[in-house]
mmCIF file of all heavy atoms in Angstrom:
data_model
loop_
_atom_site.group_PDB
_atom_site.id
_atom_site.type_symbol
_atom_site.label_atom_id
_atom_site.label_comp_id
_atom_site.label_asym_id
_atom_site.label_seq_id
_atom_site.Cartn_x
_atom_site.Cartn_y
_atom_site.Cartn_z
ATOM 1 N N ILE A 1 0.836 -1.209 0.002
ATOM 2 C CA ILE A 1 -0.010 0.013 -0.004
ATOM 3 C C ILE A 1 0.868 1.254 0.008
ATOM 4 O O ILE A 1 1.822 1.358 0.778
ATOM 5 C CB ILE A 1 -0.920 0.011 1.251
ATOM 6 C CG1 ILE A 1 -1.844 -1.225 1.222
ATOM 7 C CG2 ILE A 1 -1.752 1.297 1.256
ATOM 8 C CD1 ILE A 1 -2.751 -1.310 0.025
ATOM 9 N N ARG A 2 0.553 2.190 -0.864
ATOM 10 C CA ARG A 2 1.217 3.474 -0.932
ATOM 11 C C ARG A 2 0.176 4.564 -0.754
ATOM 12 O O ARG A 2 -0.856 4.530 -1.413
ATOM 13 C CB ARG A 2 1.985 3.638 -2.256
ATOM 14 C CG ARG A 2 3.165 2.679 -2.373
ATOM 15 C CD ARG A 2 4.293 3.118 -1.459
ATOM 16 N NE ARG A 2 5.384 2.158 -1.469
ATOM 17 C CZ ARG A 2 5.532 1.221 -0.562
ATOM 18 N NH1 ARG A 2 4.675 1.072 0.405
ATOM 19 N NH2 ARG A 2 6.571 0.402 -0.633
ATOM 20 N N GLU A 3 0.465 5.526 0.114
ATOM 21 C CA GLU A 3 -0.527 6.572 0.394
ATOM 22 C C GLU A 3 0.198 7.841 0.794
ATOM 23 O O GLU A 3 1.376 7.834 1.092
ATOM 24 C CB GLU A 3 -1.423 6.130 1.540
ATOM 25 C CG GLU A 3 -0.686 5.786 2.834
ATOM 26 C CD GLU A 3 -1.590 5.185 3.886
ATOM 27 O OE1 GLU A 3 -2.801 5.319 3.738
ATOM 28 O OE2 GLU A 3 -1.079 4.550 4.833
ATOM 29 N N SER A 4 -0.528 8.944 0.705
ATOM 30 C CA SER A 4 0.084 10.244 1.026
ATOM 31 C C SER A 4 0.327 10.340 2.530
ATOM 32 O O SER A 4 -0.419 9.808 3.330
ATOM 33 C CB SER A 4 -0.843 11.373 0.540
ATOM 34 O OG SER A 4 -2.096 11.240 1.177
ATOM 35 N N GLY A 5 1.399 11.056 2.884
ATOM 36 C CA GLY A 5 1.740 11.258 4.270
ATOM 37 C C GLY A 5 2.415 10.034 4.866
ATOM 38 O O GLY A 5 2.313 8.931 4.370
ATOM 39 N N GLY A 6 3.160 10.217 5.943
ATOM 40 C CA GLY A 6 3.762 9.114 6.659
ATOM 41 C C GLY A 6 4.963 8.541 5.930
ATOM 42 O O GLY A 6 5.552 9.151 5.038
ATOM 43 N N ASP A 7 5.308 7.290 6.313
ATOM 44 C CA ASP A 7 6.502 6.657 5.804
ATOM 45 C C ASP A 7 6.220 5.726 4.638
ATOM 46 O O ASP A 7 7.070 4.953 4.205
ATOM 47 C CB ASP A 7 7.191 5.822 6.909
ATOM 48 C CG ASP A 7 7.772 6.739 7.987
ATOM 49 O OD1 ASP A 7 7.978 7.933 7.719
ATOM 50 O OD2 ASP A 7 8.015 6.248 9.111
ATOM 51 N N ARG A 8 4.971 5.731 4.107
ATOM 52 C CA ARG A 8 4.641 4.878 2.964
ATOM 53 C C ARG A 8 4.245 5.703 1.754
ATOM 54 O O ARG A 8 3.472 5.275 0.931
ATOM 55 C CB ARG A 8 3.483 3.937 3.365
ATOM 56 C CG ARG A 8 3.857 2.961 4.485
ATOM 57 C CD ARG A 8 2.785 1.893 4.656
ATOM 58 N NE ARG A 8 1.500 2.410 5.029
ATOM 59 C CZ ARG A 8 0.393 1.665 5.191
ATOM 60 N NH1 ARG A 8 0.468 0.369 5.029
ATOM 61 N NH2 ARG A 8 -0.746 2.222 5.516
ATOM 62 N N SER A 9 4.824 6.889 1.659
ATOM 63 C CA SER A 9 4.471 7.770 0.551
ATOM 64 C C SER A 9 5.447 7.696 -0.628
ATOM 65 O O SER A 9 5.150 8.122 -1.717
ATOM 66 C CB SER A 9 4.409 9.225 1.071
ATOM 67 O OG SER A 9 5.675 9.624 1.543
ATOM 68 N N ALA A 10 6.636 7.113 -0.411
ATOM 69 C CA ALA A 10 7.631 7.049 -1.472
ATOM 70 C C ALA A 10 7.275 5.959 -2.457
ATOM 71 O O ALA A 10 6.917 4.836 -2.084
ATOM 72 C CB ALA A 10 9.011 6.801 -0.904
ATOM 73 N N VAL A 11 7.345 6.280 -3.751
ATOM 74 C CA VAL A 11 7.102 5.282 -4.809
ATOM 75 C C VAL A 11 8.293 5.252 -5.757
ATOM 76 O O VAL A 11 8.998 6.240 -5.908
ATOM 77 C CB VAL A 11 5.812 5.576 -5.602
ATOM 78 C CG1 VAL A 11 4.591 5.326 -4.736
ATOM 79 C CG2 VAL A 11 5.799 7.024 -6.130
ATOM 80 N N THR A 12 8.494 4.122 -6.424
ATOM 81 C CA THR A 12 9.620 3.906 -7.279
ATOM 82 C C THR A 12 9.201 3.751 -8.725
ATOM 83 O O THR A 12 8.212 3.042 -8.991
ATOM 84 C CB THR A 12 10.397 2.659 -6.851
ATOM 85 O OG1 THR A 12 10.758 2.806 -5.469
ATOM 86 C CG2 THR A 12 11.665 2.464 -7.663
ATOM 87 N N GLY A 13 9.873 4.434 -9.615
ATOM 88 C CA GLY A 13 9.573 4.288 -11.052
ATOM 89 C C GLY A 13 9.707 2.873 -11.528
ATOM 90 O O GLY A 13 10.628 2.156 -11.103
ATOM 91 N N GLY A 14 8.786 2.444 -12.385
ATOM 92 C CA GLY A 14 8.817 1.083 -12.898
ATOM 93 C C GLY A 14 7.890 0.133 -12.192
ATOM 94 O O GLY A 14 7.636 -0.949 -12.666
ATOM 95 N N THR A 15 7.361 0.544 -11.021
ATOM 96 C CA THR A 15 6.383 -0.285 -10.325
ATOM 97 C C THR A 15 4.966 0.012 -10.860
ATOM 98 O O THR A 15 4.764 1.060 -11.490
ATOM 99 C CB THR A 15 6.437 -0.048 -8.814
ATOM 100 O OG1 THR A 15 6.213 1.351 -8.528
ATOM 101 C CG2 THR A 15 7.788 -0.392 -8.253
ATOM 102 N N GLN A 16 4.027 -0.858 -10.581
ATOM 103 C CA GLN A 16 2.721 -0.755 -11.200
ATOM 104 C C GLN A 16 1.606 -0.613 -10.152
ATOM 105 O O GLN A 16 1.574 -1.335 -9.160
ATOM 106 C CB GLN A 16 2.428 -1.992 -12.058
ATOM 107 C CG GLN A 16 1.126 -1.922 -12.825
ATOM 108 C CD GLN A 16 0.842 -3.206 -13.608
ATOM 109 O OE1 GLN A 16 0.985 -4.263 -13.061
ATOM 110 N NE2 GLN A 16 0.463 -3.076 -14.871
ATOM 111 N N VAL A 17 0.678 0.315 -10.412
ATOM 112 C CA VAL A 17 -0.497 0.502 -9.556
ATOM 113 C C VAL A 17 -1.530 -0.552 -9.948
ATOM 114 O O VAL A 17 -1.894 -0.696 -11.104
ATOM 115 C CB VAL A 17 -1.043 1.926 -9.718
ATOM 116 C CG1 VAL A 17 -2.397 2.043 -9.004
ATOM 117 C CG2 VAL A 17 -0.101 2.978 -9.180
ATOM 118 N N LEU A 18 -1.995 -1.305 -8.941
ATOM 119 C CA LEU A 18 -2.933 -2.362 -9.181
ATOM 120 C C LEU A 18 -4.384 -1.940 -8.987
ATOM 121 O O LEU A 18 -5.305 -2.456 -9.627
ATOM 122 C CB LEU A 18 -2.640 -3.589 -8.272
ATOM 123 C CG LEU A 18 -1.272 -4.233 -8.452
ATOM 124 C CD1 LEU A 18 -1.109 -5.363 -7.464
ATOM 125 C CD2 LEU A 18 -1.117 -4.748 -9.863
ATOM 126 N N SER A 19 -4.615 -1.010 -8.055
ATOM 127 C CA SER A 19 -5.966 -0.565 -7.785
ATOM 128 C C SER A 19 -5.964 0.880 -7.383
ATOM 129 O O SER A 19 -4.974 1.431 -6.947
ATOM 130 C CB SER A 19 -6.588 -1.448 -6.631
ATOM 131 O OG SER A 19 -5.889 -1.175 -5.434
ATOM 132 N N ASP A 20 -7.137 1.546 -7.544
ATOM 133 C CA ASP A 20 -7.336 2.917 -7.149
ATOM 134 C C ASP A 20 -6.432 3.869 -7.951
ATOM 135 O O ASP A 20 -5.994 3.518 -9.058
ATOM 136 C CB ASP A 20 -7.107 3.118 -5.652
ATOM 137 C CG ASP A 20 -7.983 2.144 -4.846
ATOM 138 O OD1 ASP A 20 -9.195 2.367 -4.815
ATOM 139 O OD2 ASP A 20 -7.454 1.196 -4.251
ATOM 140 N N TRP A 21 -6.105 5.024 -7.421
ATOM 141 C CA TRP A 21 -5.278 5.976 -8.127
ATOM 142 C C TRP A 21 -4.511 6.809 -7.113
ATOM 143 O O TRP A 21 -4.890 6.924 -5.917
ATOM 144 C CB TRP A 21 -6.149 6.899 -8.997
ATOM 145 C CG TRP A 21 -7.172 7.663 -8.214
ATOM 146 C CD1 TRP A 21 -8.442 7.293 -7.912
ATOM 147 C CD2 TRP A 21 -6.986 8.946 -7.565
ATOM 148 N NE1 TRP A 21 -9.074 8.212 -7.133
ATOM 149 C CE2 TRP A 21 -8.210 9.270 -6.919
ATOM 150 C CE3 TRP A 21 -5.925 9.844 -7.502
ATOM 151 C CZ2 TRP A 21 -8.378 10.463 -6.199
ATOM 152 C CZ3 TRP A 21 -6.098 11.034 -6.774
ATOM 153 C CH2 TRP A 21 -7.307 11.308 -6.142
ATOM 154 N N ILE A 22 -3.441 7.421 -7.565
ATOM 155 C CA ILE A 22 -2.614 8.305 -6.733
ATOM 156 C C ILE A 22 -2.076 9.447 -7.570
ATOM 157 O O ILE A 22 -1.890 9.310 -8.773
ATOM 158 C CB ILE A 22 -1.447 7.587 -6.077
ATOM 159 C CG1 ILE A 22 -0.670 6.735 -7.103
ATOM 160 C CG2 ILE A 22 -1.903 6.684 -4.923
ATOM 161 C CD1 ILE A 22 0.559 6.032 -6.569
ATOM 162 N N ARG A 23 -1.865 10.596 -6.934
ATOM 163 C CA ARG A 23 -1.154 11.673 -7.540
ATOM 164 C C ARG A 23 0.283 11.630 -6.995
ATOM 165 O O ARG A 23 0.460 11.540 -5.784
ATOM 166 C CB ARG A 23 -1.780 13.033 -7.192
ATOM 167 C CG ARG A 23 -3.154 13.285 -7.811
ATOM 168 C CD ARG A 23 -3.684 14.623 -7.334
ATOM 169 N NE ARG A 23 -5.074 14.803 -7.693
ATOM 170 C CZ ARG A 23 -5.493 15.489 -8.767
ATOM 171 N NH1 ARG A 23 -4.577 16.015 -9.561
ATOM 172 N NH2 ARG A 23 -6.748 15.620 -9.040
ATOM 173 N N VAL A 24 1.234 11.699 -7.880
ATOM 174 C CA VAL A 24 2.623 11.562 -7.505
ATOM 175 C C VAL A 24 3.413 12.801 -7.903
ATOM 176 O O VAL A 24 3.333 13.254 -9.062
ATOM 177 C CB VAL A 24 3.260 10.320 -8.141
ATOM 178 C CG1 VAL A 24 4.753 10.207 -7.798
ATOM 179 C CG2 VAL A 24 2.517 9.080 -7.707
ATOM 180 N N ARG A 25 4.155 13.363 -6.966
ATOM 181 C CA ARG A 25 5.070 14.474 -7.278
ATOM 182 C C ARG A 25 6.425 13.879 -7.556
ATOM 183 O O ARG A 25 6.987 13.129 -6.732
ATOM 184 C CB ARG A 25 5.169 15.453 -6.117
ATOM 185 C CG ARG A 25 6.127 16.631 -6.408
ATOM 186 C CD ARG A 25 6.393 17.505 -5.195
ATOM 187 N NE ARG A 25 5.197 18.216 -4.825
ATOM 188 C CZ ARG A 25 4.564 18.075 -3.670
ATOM 189 N NH1 ARG A 25 4.989 17.176 -2.816
ATOM 190 N NH2 ARG A 25 3.494 18.778 -3.365
ATOM 191 N N ILE A 26 7.010 14.162 -8.716
ATOM 192 C CA ILE A 26 8.292 13.624 -9.117
ATOM 193 C C ILE A 26 9.402 14.235 -8.247
ATOM 194 O O ILE A 26 9.459 15.464 -8.112
ATOM 195 C CB ILE A 26 8.584 13.863 -10.613
ATOM 196 C CG1 ILE A 26 7.462 13.276 -11.454
ATOM 197 C CG2 ILE A 26 9.915 13.295 -11.013
ATOM 198 C CD1 ILE A 26 7.236 11.803 -11.256
ATOM 199 N N THR A 27 10.268 13.370 -7.694
ATOM 200 C CA THR A 27 11.315 13.858 -6.788
ATOM 201 C C THR A 27 12.728 13.586 -7.331
ATOM 202 O O THR A 27 13.705 14.003 -6.668
ATOM 203 C CB THR A 27 11.176 13.178 -5.420
ATOM 204 O OG1 THR A 27 11.235 11.757 -5.601
ATOM 205 C CG2 THR A 27 9.870 13.553 -4.772
ATOM 206 N N ALA A 28 12.858 12.886 -8.430
ATOM 207 C CA ALA A 28 14.193 12.560 -8.955
ATOM 208 C C ALA A 28 14.315 12.966 -10.435
ATOM 209 O O ALA A 28 13.428 12.694 -11.223
ATOM 210 C CB ALA A 28 14.511 11.051 -8.810
ATOM 211 N N ALA A 29 15.435 13.623 -10.749
ATOM 212 C CA ALA A 29 15.664 13.978 -12.148
ATOM 213 C C ALA A 29 16.051 12.780 -12.954
ATOM 214 O O ALA A 29 16.555 11.764 -12.414
ATOM 215 C CB ALA A 29 16.801 15.047 -12.201
ATOM 216 N N GLN A 30 15.823 12.816 -14.257
ATOM 217 C CA GLN A 30 16.184 11.705 -15.144
ATOM 218 C C GLN A 30 17.697 11.478 -15.090
ATOM 219 O O GLN A 30 18.467 12.447 -15.101
ATOM 220 C CB GLN A 30 15.738 11.964 -16.557
ATOM 221 C CG GLN A 30 14.227 11.935 -16.726
ATOM 222 C CD GLN A 30 13.620 10.616 -16.272
ATOM 223 O OE1 GLN A 30 14.155 9.545 -16.568
ATOM 224 N NE2 GLN A 30 12.513 10.681 -15.553
ATOM 225 N N GLY A 31 18.074 10.228 -15.005
ATOM 226 C CA GLY A 31 19.513 9.895 -14.884
ATOM 227 C C GLY A 31 19.923 9.635 -13.467
ATOM 228 O O GLY A 31 20.972 9.080 -13.197
#
């Protein structure tokens, strides 16, 4: 589970959302 706030808010590029939806603010530049 990934959700806003707390210690479960970080997401990694290349992973897949299985249900629901999220808004993600990009934190890493390409490369």
Side-chain angles (χ1 to χ4, degrees):
I1 300 299
R2 291 288 175 262
E3 58 188 342
S4 59
D7 293 340
R8 297 191 298 178
S9 61
V11 290
T12 305
T15 57
Q16 184 184 46
V17 171
L18 298 178
S19 67
D20 305 290
W21 59 271
I22 49 177
R23 291 177 190 265
V24 177
R25 179 189 293 116
I26 303 302
T27 57
Q30 291 304 316

